[in-house]
Amino acid sequence: MAVEWSVLVLTCQRGGCVSAFQRELEARRLRGGLGPRPPPLLLAVEDPWAHLGSGGATLNALLVAAEHLSARAGCTVVTSDVLKEAHILILHTGRDFSFDDCGWAFTCLPVEEPGAAAEALVCNLDSLLGTMTHQLCVGSPPGVWVCSTDMLLTVPSAPGIDWDGFQGVRVIAVPGSQAYARNHGVYLTNEQGLVHNIIYRGTEAQIQQCAGPDGTVPLVCGVVFFSSDAAEQLLATHVIPPLDACTYMGLDSGAPPIQLSLFFDIVLCMAGGVTEQDFVKGGGDTSVRNARSVLWAALRAFPLSMACIANASYDYMTTSASDHIRSLTLLPSSASHLCFCKTAHSHVDQPCLLEDGSSVTNCLLEGAVRLAASSVIQHCHLQGPLEIGPGCLLSGLSVGSSPALQGFPLRDVVLQGHHVRLRDLPCRVFTLTGRLDDWQSQAERATYLNMPWAEFFHRTGIREGDLWDAETPQGSRCLLSARLFPVLHAHEALGLEDVLWLLAPVAGERLARWRAAWRMSWQELLPCLDKAAELSARQALFFLQGQHKVRRVLLGRQDSSLLPLARSAVHEGYHEAVLGTLDEVASTAGDAGIAARALSCIAEVLGCMARGEGGLRSGPAANREWASAFGRLESGDIAGGVRELAAERQKWMSRPALLVRAARHYEGAEQILVRQAVMSSCQFVAVGQAELPPLGHWVQVACPARLDLSGGWSDTPPITYEHGGAVVDVAVLVDGCWPIGARVRRISEPELRLVSLGGTPQSEVVAELVCRELEHLQDYCQPHAPGALLKAAFICTQVVQFPSQKPLQAQLMESFRGGFEVHTWSKLPHGSGLGTSSILAGAVMASLYRAAGKAASTESLIHAVLHLEQRLTTGGGWQDQVGGLVPGIKIGRSKAQLPLRVEVEEIQVPDGFTQTLNDHLLLVYTGKTRLARNLLQDVVRNWYARLPSAVQNADALVSNAEECAQALRQGNLPLIGKCLDCYWQQKKCMAPGCEPLAVGRMMDALRPYVYGQCLAGAGGGGFLYVLTRAPRQKEVLHQILAKTEGLGNFSIHSVEVDTGGFSVKVVGCDTEDYACPGEHTAVKAFALTHS
């Protein structure tokens, strides 16, 4: 479950960052970071005053949200009615943060989210959005949630907040130790859970008073919920002075500024133990007291309850460098939805040099960069050799900083590069502080670079007067106000070395250069920080390391998905850089498999650029404009082909329809390279010589069908040679007959007669084609062309040389003194799922080899069919021919390597178990036609994208195949059935949509009577095979299905394990009296009648 927000508001201080923050919100909407139904209103709202306070910022944000909701509702004035059904989330970015120029909200966490739709840096803002949307706020009524971003918040997935009958305002607390509470706020509540008081930095006795039975206290964690009624009353105060000064309307009306706290000026007035007199008097100046008086009148009647979330925790982001480093290097508690990692969104040349307990986020570390435990690097591009000791935080350093760093072994320091804008002048400034330094402690008892100021002055020659004006009081002289950091120099460019020298001072020249520079204190730099430039630089570095990731993943053949990175690149405008990297990998890898995946990734980028428009991703890919590039790829010139593809691509980038068509052609190019990779299996085709049968004598081959019991899809290129495959297959007779066959004879005419028969060798001719010229064979690679499979068989067996300068008739007369006639038949309907086309290809090739005076082993035929299907461009795997050409029950395997080789192992089953299997296996024809090609395109696309679900499923397919083989060896029917059911779930995961509704109803009806069931082949229709609990259940199942509504045509057929294998026979000239091989009874062609 998730909250569907009406409005999401991100407040920010004044200073020009509102546009940048608005872009960040929109980017999260685009990449799916705001949930499946993102808020219709995303608002970055600037505080009207510099020091407005969390209370004033809340009131201003609430006004802006209500104003936008009112406008959407068609109102001409702000109306509180729009709050009644609204779910509003207000996130406060708050004050500046010493260790991140973009503030608490955009502090990056060492987190990667592999399951995210789009790859992106994970900030504290994203963590809080996830916590609020999917955990903390689920089930809450309409109202306004307010959340600070100055904490790392962790709550369990089910927080257990009771919202029944809720009214008023509720604060969220997390349990903490009494020691921690001494520097924080705690809630004092009564037995009913109503807040009595809020105690900030209380005495030990006050804190003890708040403790529960377990000794913990409810800590204030910066989260408050206002019911819609309470939010209406709060909104109403925005027109009442002096509260009007909290809003942009007050600013525009000339009201004097006012500062209010959310907790101590707004929430506290509803605490039961607080009196009006004490509350109003505690307000400081007159304007705040008057504001408190107004708030008391408006909100006092609302009950203030507390929900303390068990097993929750929060980590306040302080100004302590030690605390910040600790929060980024320690794993969050088990309740967190995030998983911290040592290296997040970074490319590290030598990861072995990163010690455990260190953290690297959004970095490019080239060469030998050694990082000690308890140190953090973020947003840096560095080149080694570098050594960074313990206790360091490095951020915002570019590659140009590396030479300066190489002479300074760092330890216990914070070194940051900042984007600063001085009016219209952008510049880079570097700051250096110690891990143990305190920003605001008086210099006389504080440290700089972890040493007393007096020692620092002595070591460097710097004087107090260099840092503070003479009129600066001693009490105001602190690190925050010290003008330490060079910004501009009259004659020279400044760099990192101009602060690094402070660590190892060299008397004279450096000191003089430092004194000559215009310097600023951190306090003076803060208002000048350019948050937009910093966010932009982080984004540029993210995609730079992303380009390295592309190379690393593709060249290393890693099972990491690049699709989320592609989506982000398109959303953020970095698609050209990613496309260029993919072009580079494809053209220089020197490996067809790697190049094919790179081209598939380019297709994904183009598809993302279409943004869901322009038509379906699957479609034709034979436009003549791409032919030249395709020709280069076909000829083996991958680099030239990739260059031509890239040049042609530029002409197809202008609108979604063209982008989609370009993506299809890149997938077509990818398939060319897949075919070349698979055709490496040709080296396992060994053809010998045999006696040439007499002219006119038929060579006839009859084959069983196959049932795939587990592992299918793992045999499909490229999965089979990139991941490795394993498939358990059974060769079967259908209704007692070999259902697939072919016969070939030599004829005196120098031509090729290609004849398709009905269901048996004695059937009438369905289609006939005569080829007398080589040109008649040129469409062999178009699967739907008449006779394409048979044409491809002549070419792949090299009975015919194509292309060739020698005419077809001359070739035939020279080699065979005539031509050939081929007949094929199949009793199985189109799209049966029983491997018909591949097995038929095997039958044709076996008979053609023999008729041409050649001989090929079964292993050779398996690999020859692989070759044929690649030439045919159907792109099939190897399981079908293994299933139909190798007798009995077996498991085929392929390793994750090229050349692709299939090895087959017979599965030895217990005595009598084959008959048991015959008694318990049945085929049910579903009446639905399968469209395997579309399924295949989707599966290959998902595999090349390395979607985590596809990779995990490929692992599961192979392991389930091995389990199924073991179950067969044991003769364990229930375990085999379990494997079948598991296999069907895996097929549905691999190819969503492969279970038609009617098939689902059929399977539901049969489930009580079977151990397991699965659609054969790719699914989507064809045959369902079932393993029944009781033997010989054909009639029983027929009756069950006949009573089930919505099934349409179906029929049930018996199957037997074929232990003999396919047969090759020379049967003479007359075929009229030749019975269907394996036909033990009179068998009719398939009658698909309504049952």
Coordinates of all heavy atoms in Angstrom, one line a residue, residues 57 426 532 627:
A57 N 7.5 28.4 8.0 CA 7.6 27.7 6.7 C 6.4 26.7 6.5 O 5.9 26.6 5.4 CB 8.9 26.9 6.6
P426 N 30.7 32.9 -11.3 CA 30.7 31.6 -10.8 C 32.2 31.2 -10.5 O 33.1 31.5 -11.3 CB 30.2 30.7 -11.9 CG 30.4 31.4 -13.1 CD 30.5 32.9 -12.8
A532 N 22.2 25.0 -7.5 CA 21.8 24.5 -8.8 C 23.1 24.0 -9.5 O 23.0 22.9 -10.2 CB 21.2 25.7 -9.6
A627 N 20.0 -1.0 -44.8 CA 20.5 -2.3 -45.4 C 22.1 -2.3 -45.4 O 22.7 -3.3 -45.2 CB 19.9 -2.4 -46.8

